[in-house]
Every structure is written in structure tokens, then in C-alpha cells.
């Protein structure tokens, strides 16, 4: 992702802040990050929420999510740019070395899970269109995805995603246009919803559902650290701000709701059913559209899985291996999961891990907002293993207490589950706000 770096220095910043002279220009970082805005996942989530809670409720939830993501990520992006820290390094400050290892483990596992989902969509598309056996199609997807995150190739990854972005947007417009030409237009998609009508307050359920993918906040932090300090305002407002989420969530979501109401998907709306319907409608162009959308998002999934797997090994086991090894390990793990029937377990794991992610975001936000610019400089200077405690009692207590609260509410189900993510955020923020002054940020370092 560090498009201007050369040789062995490229992207080797998992154990230290990104130096000022290794930062990326505005456009390269924007194009690298905007790879995350294209995924069939965004179309399907919005369509599924519309079917469950009503299209209008889903649209309200989308708009509120765009606003919330823009506000939170503006804070996180500015801090990452000022410090040059990764999620792993910042987690050492917030939670201590032990907590950082756990947070990084959750991060790379989540990135791997999303890589499995998006890779499986592409493999099934290849299987359906070209008649390839699924194991072969999955192998092709994994091999080229791993190749895209090798260090030297990162010199053009931002350019690749920049070139593919307009083709993705054109493909999305073409899919909508062909759906209208083939099946006609009706505003019935705005009335899409469950039998018996949309539930009152369904917009809240839709908004909370998008809190389940707050791992994008961690994605933001790991990408934003490559931004130049003089570009902090631009990146906070545009690259990682409302324009990005207006495309990723709102535009994709509206398209997903319309296509779900227009395309024959056999009654089921899933990434696979939508992809197969698009290929049936668009043929080879549909396969190309799916390849563009899935390749763009998976450059982020594979990269962040590999870099955080590397950081976890360094933090937990003091194990240092070349980045290319971790890229290959990521590919092997993704392929193994693509071959196994583990999707139900992965969905449950994502739901539980999402609560820990929301708690991490709340602790991070509270820390940044209470520490100020001077605190950012301190974070940058004191993130090494030698200078961080084994456990930061304030951060770890707030993180675990809030995550435990969220998990209990999630397990209770019903109305309790609908407030589990917001409750997690509030408990984490309040607990850290209270405990941080009492226990102190940087307690005496205890050797692991």
C-alpha cells in the first residue's frame, strides 16, 4: 500500500510507526483505500435489511450509518496520520501488550473471514460461468489475491484500484440499466419489506446492523497511517469520510435493494444468489463486474490479514518472518476455510468479534478525544514493546467490561440484542473515561 516506497523498506512498519518520509500522496492513498468501497457484501446487506425491516427503514439506517462512520473515522484517521501507528501499535498503548495481541488476533481473523466470503463469491462465479471445479476456482482466486499483496506489487496496487473504480461504477450502472431493460422499472422496490409491513422503529435495527461491521474503523486506522500530516484534513473529510461511505453504503445499498426487488434470485437474497442472477443477466460482463468488485475489496482483506498476523506473531511470540511468508500463510488459511463448510460458524464468530471491535473503537475514540494533540505525540513516541506495559489496566478493564456487557445482551436476543452494540460502545467509553485518570495510561512496565 505504501506506493512510493522501494525495496525491503516497503510496508515494513508493523513494529514501528510509519516515518514521515514514507508517507503516500493524496491520490495514491485515496485510491488504495477506496478499494474497500466495492463489494457484493454491501449490496446484499442492504437488500437483506430491506426485506427484514422495510426499504425505507433500511435507507434511513444507511444514511445514519454514513454519518456515524464519517464522524468516527475522521477522528481515527487524524490520529493515525499524526502518529503513524498501526492498530497493533495503538492497541499496545490502549490495552498493553497482552491486550494488543488479542485485539490484533481478532482483527486478522475478521479480515480472513471476509476474505473467505468475498473469495467464495468469485470462485462460485467462475464455477457457474466457466464450469470450473470449485476447488480449482478457489485456488485461482487465492493465488492471484496473495500475489496482489506481495511487497513489490504494492507499488502499483493503488493504481490498479484507481483504474478499476470507474469500471466498478460503470458495471453497477449497467447492471441496473439491464435489469430495467429486461424486467421493467417499478417503484415497488421502495416498498420492499416483510409480510405484514415494516416494523415500527426498524430503522434503528438497520443502523445497529451496520455497527456489526465496525471493523472498517480498524481498516481505516491501518490505512490512514500512511497519510501525510499536511493531508490530514483531506483524508479525514474525503478519503475516509462521508463521500466514501456515501458510495460504499448508500449507493451500493440503494442498488442492492433495487436489484433484489428486480432480479429473479429464487426467493433467497445472498451474495451468491445476487451474483448468479447478475451473471445470468449480463453474461461475461457480469463476471467481469463481480471480478472487479471482489478483487478490489480483497486487496484490503488479504493485506490487513497478513500485516496483522505478522504483528500478532511479533507481539505475542517475538517471531519475525518476512511479509511474503505471512501473505502465503493468509492464502493457505483462506483456502482451507473456503474448502470447509464453516460459514455458519464464521457468521457467529463475526457477530461475537464485532462486539469486541465496537468496544475497541469506543476505547480508542475516548482516548484520542481526551488526550488531544499532545497525547498523539506521546503515543507515537512510546509504542514499542519495551515501553508499553504488559496490561494497561484502564484500557483492558473498559474493553473487557464493555465487551462482556455486549455479549450478554447479544445472547439474550430480541430487544436486548438490538441494543448490544450501542450499549457496548457507551459502557466502554464511560468506563475508560472514569478509569483512565484513576489507573493512569502508562503504568510501570512489567516484563512479559
Amino acid at each position: 500500500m505504501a506506493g512510493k516506497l522501494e525495496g525491503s523498506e516497503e510496508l515494513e512498519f508493523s513494529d514501528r510507526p510509519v516515518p514521515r518520509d514514507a508517507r503516500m500522496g493524496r491520490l495514491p492513498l485515496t485510491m488504495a483505500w477506496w478499494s474497500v468501497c466495492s463489494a457484493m457484501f454491501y449490496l446484499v446487506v442492504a437488500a437483506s435489511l430491506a426485506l427484514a425491516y422495510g426499504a425505507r427503514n433500511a435507507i434511513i439506517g444507511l444514511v445514519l450509518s454514513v454519518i456515524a462512520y464519517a464522524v468516527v473515522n475522521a477522528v481515527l484517521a487524524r490520529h493515525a496520520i499524526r502518529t503513524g501507528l498501526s492498530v497493533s501499535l495503538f492497541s499496545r498503548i490502549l490495552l498493553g501488550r497482552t491486550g494488543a495481541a488479542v485485539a490484533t488476533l481478532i482483527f486478522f481473523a475478521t479480515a480472513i473471514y471476509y476474505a473467505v466470503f468475498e473469495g467464495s463469491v468469485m470462485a462460485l462465479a467462475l464455477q457457474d460461468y466457466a464450469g470450473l471445479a470449485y476447488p480449482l476456482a478457489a485456488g485461482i482466486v487465492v493465488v492471484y489475491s496473495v500475489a496482489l499483496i506481495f511487497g513489490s506489487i504494492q507499488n502499483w496496487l493503488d493504481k490498479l484500484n484507481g483504474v478499476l473504480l470507474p469500471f466498478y461504477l460503470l458495471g453497477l450502472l449497467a447492471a441496473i440499466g439491464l435489469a430495467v431493460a429486461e424486467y421493467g422499472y417499478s417503484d415497488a422496490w421502495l416498498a420492499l419489506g416483510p409480510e405484514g409491513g415494516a416494523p415500527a422503529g426498524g430503522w434503528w435495527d438497520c443502523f445497529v446492523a451496520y455497527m456489526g461491521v465496525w471493523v472498517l474503523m480498524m481498516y481505516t486506522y491501518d490505512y490512514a497511517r500512511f497519510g501525510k500530516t499536511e493531508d490530514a484534513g483531506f483524508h479525514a473529510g474525503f478519503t475516509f469520510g462521508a463521500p466514501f461511505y456515501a458510495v460504499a453504503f448508500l449507493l451500493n445499498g440503494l442498488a442492492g435493494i433495487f436489484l433484489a426487488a428486480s432480479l429473479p434470485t429464487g426467493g433467497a437474497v445472498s451474495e451468491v444468489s445476487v451474483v448468479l442472477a447478475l451473471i445470468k443477466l449480463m453474461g461475461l460482463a457480469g463476471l467481469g463486474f463481480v471480478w472487479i468488485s471482489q478483487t478490489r475489496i480483497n486487496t484490503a482483506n488479504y493485506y490487513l490479514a497478513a500485516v496483522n498476523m505478522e504483528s500478532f506473531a511479533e507481539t505475542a511470540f517475538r517471531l519475525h518472518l518476512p511479509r511474503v511468508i505471512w501473505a502465503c500463510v493468509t492464502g493457505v488459511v483462506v483456502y482451507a476455510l473456503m474448502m470447509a463448510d464453516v460459514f455458519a460458524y464464521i457468521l457467529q464468530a463475526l457477530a461475537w468479534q464485532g462486539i469486541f471491535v465496537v468496544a475497541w473503537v469506543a476505547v480508542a475514540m475516548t482516548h484520542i478525544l481526551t488526550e488531544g494533540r499532545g497525547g498523539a505525540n506521546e503515543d507515537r513516541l512510546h509504542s514499542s514493546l519495551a515501553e508499553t506495559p504488559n496490561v494497561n489496566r484502564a484500557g483492558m478493564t473498559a474493553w473487557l467490561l464493555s465487551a462482556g456487557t455486549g455479549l450478554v445482551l447479544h445472547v439474550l436476543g430480541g430487544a436486548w440484542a438490538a441494543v448490544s452494540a450501542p450499549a457496548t460502545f457507551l459502557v466502554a467509553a464511560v468506563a475508560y473515561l472514569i478509569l483512565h485518570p484513576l489507573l493512569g495510561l502508562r503504568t510501570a512496565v512489567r516484563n512479559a
Side-chain angles (χ1 to χ4, degrees), residues 17-26 29 74 76-85 223-237 240 373 376-377 380:
V18 179
R20 306 291 187 188
D21 60 357
R23 304 300 180 91
M24 298 173 69
R26 283 189 179 188
L29 180 56
L76 294 178
R78 286 180 183 276
H79 188 267
I81 291 171
R82 288 172 184 158
T83 62
L85 298 178
Y223 269 68
R225 63 192 173 122
F226 288 98
K228 295 180 179 180
T229 54
E230 60 266 30
D231 296 332
F234 172 82
H235 290 311
F240 303 102
R373 186 181 293 271
N377 292 330
R380 179 175 58 84

Side-chain angles (χ1 to χ4, degrees), residues 90-141:
F90 189 30
S91 295
R92 292 180 193 171
I93 299 292
L94 299 174
L95 310 171
R97 296 192 299 273
T98 299
V102 176
T104 309
L105 171 64
I106 291 173
F107 190 6
F108 84 68
T110 303
I112 282 177
Y113 295 164
Y114 283 120
V116 170
F117 280 121
E118 305 301 344
S120 296
V121 169
M122 187 63 222
L124 288 168
L126 282 173
Q127 181 185 39
D128 180 74
Y129 185 82
L132 299 178
Y134 179 76
L136 176 59
I140 292 172
V141 171

Side-chain angles (χ1 to χ4, degrees), residues 21-398:
D21 60 357
R23 304 300 180 91
M24 298 173 69
R26 283 189 179 188
L27 185 59
L29 180 56
T30 300
M31 288 299 98
W33 170 247
W34 277 55
S35 66
V36 182
C37 77
S38 61
M40 299 304 299
F41 174 80
Y42 298 134
L43 279 72
V44 172
V45 167
S48 299
L49 291 174
L51 287 169
Y53 300 105
R56 288 180 170 82
N57 281 330
I59 293 171
I60 293 172
L62 282 167
V63 172
L64 293 176
S65 295
V66 169
I67 296 170
Y69 272 73
V71 171
V72 173
N73 283 310
V75 175
L76 294 178
R78 286 180 183 276
H79 188 267
I81 291 171
R82 288 172 184 158
T83 62
L85 298 178
S86 64
V87 165
S88 177
L89 294 177
F90 189 30
S91 295
R92 292 180 193 171
I93 299 292
L94 299 174
L95 310 171
R97 296 192 299 273
T98 299
V102 176
T104 309
L105 171 64
I106 291 173
F107 190 6
F108 84 68
T110 303
I112 282 177
Y113 295 164
Y114 283 120
V116 170
F117 280 121
E118 305 301 344
S120 296
V121 169
M122 187 63 222
L124 288 168
L126 282 173
Q127 181 185 39
D128 180 74
Y129 185 82
L132 299 178
Y134 179 76
L136 176 59
I140 292 172
V141 171
V142 168
V143 168
Y144 85 72
S145 297
V146 169
L148 284 175
I149 65 167
F150 282 169
S152 60
I153 297 180
Q154 292 292 340
N155 282 319
W156 53 267
L157 189 54
D158 58 327
K159 299 179 179 63
L160 171 68
N161 285 317
V163 169
L164 292 181
L165 177 59
F167 286 100
Y168 172 75
L169 296 175
L170 288 173
L172 191 62
L173 291 174
I176 294 172
L178 287 173
V180 171
E182 182 72 17
Y183 304 107
Y185 176 80
S186 169
D187 62 2
W189 67 281
L190 290 171
L192 191 66
E195 294 183 8
W203 60 269
W204 172 257
D205 297 276
C206 296
F207 173 72
V208 171
Y210 277 92
M211 292 187 74
V213 287
W214 270 29
V215 72
L216 286 174
M217 312 303 193
M218 286 180 154
Y219 277 44
T220 291
Y221 200 91
D222 260 1
Y223 269 68
R225 63 192 173 122
F226 288 98
K228 295 180 179 180
T229 54
E230 60 266 30
D231 296 332
F234 172 82
H235 290 311
F238 181 82
T239 304
F240 303 102
F244 170 81
Y245 287 103
V247 174
F249 288 172
L250 190 57
L251 177 63
N252 284 321
L254 292 173
I257 296 171
F258 175 78
L259 291 173
S262 303
L263 296 178
T265 58
V269 175
S270 67
E271 286 187 269
V272 174
S273 66
V274 171
V275 163
L276 297 182
L278 283 173
I279 290 177
K280 182 178 179 181
L281 175 68
M282 302 173 68
L284 181 60
L287 180 65
F289 172 64
V290 173
W291 178 83
I292 289 170
S293 70
Q294 305 311 95
T295 296
R296 282 170 48 80
I297 185 67
N298 258 354
T299 59
N301 290 331
Y302 275 79
Y303 165 73
L304 292 173
V307 75
N308 282 281
M309 188 183 295
E310 177 186 17
S311 186
F312 171 77
E314 291 173 348
T315 302
F317 307 113
R318 310 295 174 91
L319 178 62
H320 298 270
L321 294 174
R323 178 67 48 78
V324 65
I325 299 296
W326 297 114
C328 293
V329 170
T330 297
V332 170
V333 173
V334 169
Y335 185 78
L337 290 175
M338 289 174 72
M339 292 299 101
D341 185 17
V342 295
F343 288 101
Y345 301 102
I346 287 178
L347 286 172
Q348 186 60 42
L350 282 172
W352 286 54
Q353 288 174 196
I355 291 173
F356 281 92
V357 171
V358 169
W360 183 92
V361 172
V363 172
M365 286 282 290
T366 307
H367 171 80
I368 294 169
L369 293 175
T370 55
E371 286 291 295
R373 186 181 293 271
N377 292 330
E378 286 293 308
D379 291 343
R380 179 175 58 84
L381 295 171
H382 300 288
S383 61
S384 67
L385 284 173
E387 294 190 70
T388 48
N390 187 38
V391 174
N392 181 334
R393 292 177 296 165
M396 279 291 285
T397 302

